[in-house]
Each structure stands twice: as structure tokens, then as C-alpha cells.
Amino acid sequence: MKKPRLSLVTFAAATAIAVAAVGSSVFAHGNILPQPVNTSALPDIGEAWLQHNPYRGNAVAIKIGESAYGQNCARCHGLEAISGGIAPDLRYLELGDTGDEWFIQRYQHGSVRDGKVYMPPLGDVLGQKAGWAIRAWLDTKHEE
Ligand code: HEC
């Protein structure tokens, strides 16, 4: 029975390494604790997730979004939304409804592929008002 036990240990070690690797892929980008965003100045939009930005072009939302982005997204997506290469450059997100849908899907659920966390889900922790405010600011940085 020595052999099976050994391989079990090997398996456990491999799993531990795999888990550590997933962990470090998230923590490699520094502090991942989401910073709360004060959105009390924005009109309420309810609990149900919208698919299109209710704050598009809203100057107050743009301002809140800029700071929320700096605190929660810039460490991966780059200052001023100019990516340094570790995550997509969000200036090129499509404008309008289709872009909104893709944006909010990623914001809400993040991105996990093959068990690896590329982007953590942020919707529940930051809330949808903050998400749409960030999207409103990103619109102002848009490039084709
Ligand atoms: C830990 C790093 C990290 C943080 C923090 C992060 N992202 Fe991401 N994000 C990524 C990565 C990596 C991808 C690419 C995912 C993939 O390829 O599946 C991504 C993808 C996206 C996309 C899709 C882009 C595209 O071109 O398809 C959007 C939109 C997005 N992130 C928005 C945000 C917003 C808004 C925030 C802050 C609230 C944020 N992300 C915070 C790493 C991060």
C-alpha cells in the first residue's frame, strides 16, 4: 500500500501548488481588496442589474467613475485606462449598448478560464451604481 499512498501525497502537493498558482495570479497585481465607492450623489437604479448604462454622459457619474476606476481597476487595466499589457486596454471597448452589455458582464462576473482567475468578479462588492459610473468615465477615454 506504500505506492498508492505516495501518489496520493504527490497529488495533494500538485493540487496545493495549483491552488497557490491561481491565488498568486490574482495577488500578483497587488492589493485586491476592493475600495468602496460613494455613489450616493447618483440617482438610484434599483437592485436588478441593468444591461445599458443609465448614467451615460452624466457629469457626476463620470467624476465618481474616474476615481472608482483609479482605486479598483487601474492596477490591472492601467492608469487613465491605458493598459500596460497585463489586462485589456479598456479605451477600445465598444461605445453604446453592445459595449455596455459586455462591460457589465465582465464587471459583474469577472473572468475565470480553466480555473484561473483573470479578473475577480466586482459587481457584488462594488455595486452596479459604481460599475455604471466607471463605464460612463471610460466612454470619455474611448478610442477607435
Ligand atoms: C486583478 C486584475 C484586474 C482587476 C482588478 C480588474 N480587471 Fe478587468 N480584466 C482583467 C483581465 C486579465 C481581463 C481579461 C480577461 C480575459 O481575457 O478573459 C479583464 C477584462 C475586463 C473587461 C473586458 C475587456 C475586453 O476587452 O474584453 C472589462 C470590461 C473589465 N475587465 C473591466 C474592469 C473594471 C471596470 C475593473 C474595476 C472595477 C476591472 N476590470 C478590474 C483584470 C482585472
Side-chain angles (χ1 to χ4, degrees), residues 67-130:
S67 120
Y69 174 92
Q71 288 184 300
N72 293 291
C73 322
R75 65 177 168 273
C76 293
H77 289 282
L79 289 172
E80 292 291 307
I82 301 167
S83 170
I86 55 169
D89 195 308
L90 300 181
R91 291 174 298 168
Y92 301 110
L93 277 179
E94 217 176 294
L95 290 175
D97 287 353
T98 317
D100 282 357
E101 287 160 23
W102 180 236
F103 170 88
I104 210 66
Q105 139 76 25
R106 276 289 181 253
Y107 177 76
Q108 220 185 326
H109 303 294
S111 173
V112 181
R113 282 184 280 126
D114 301 328
K116 205 173 170 225
V117 177
Y118 287 83
M119 172 173 158
L122 293 163
D124 284 345
V125 275
L126 297 177
Q128 79 156 326
K129 290 174 82 177

Side-chain angles (χ1 to χ4, degrees), residues 34-56:
Q35 301 298 305
V37 179
N38 184 349
T39 54
S40 56
L42 294 173
D44 274 328
I45 49 180
E47 290 294 309
W49 284 85
L50 305 176
Q51 291 304 303
H52 302 140
N53 195 353
Y55 304 142
R56 198 182 290 164

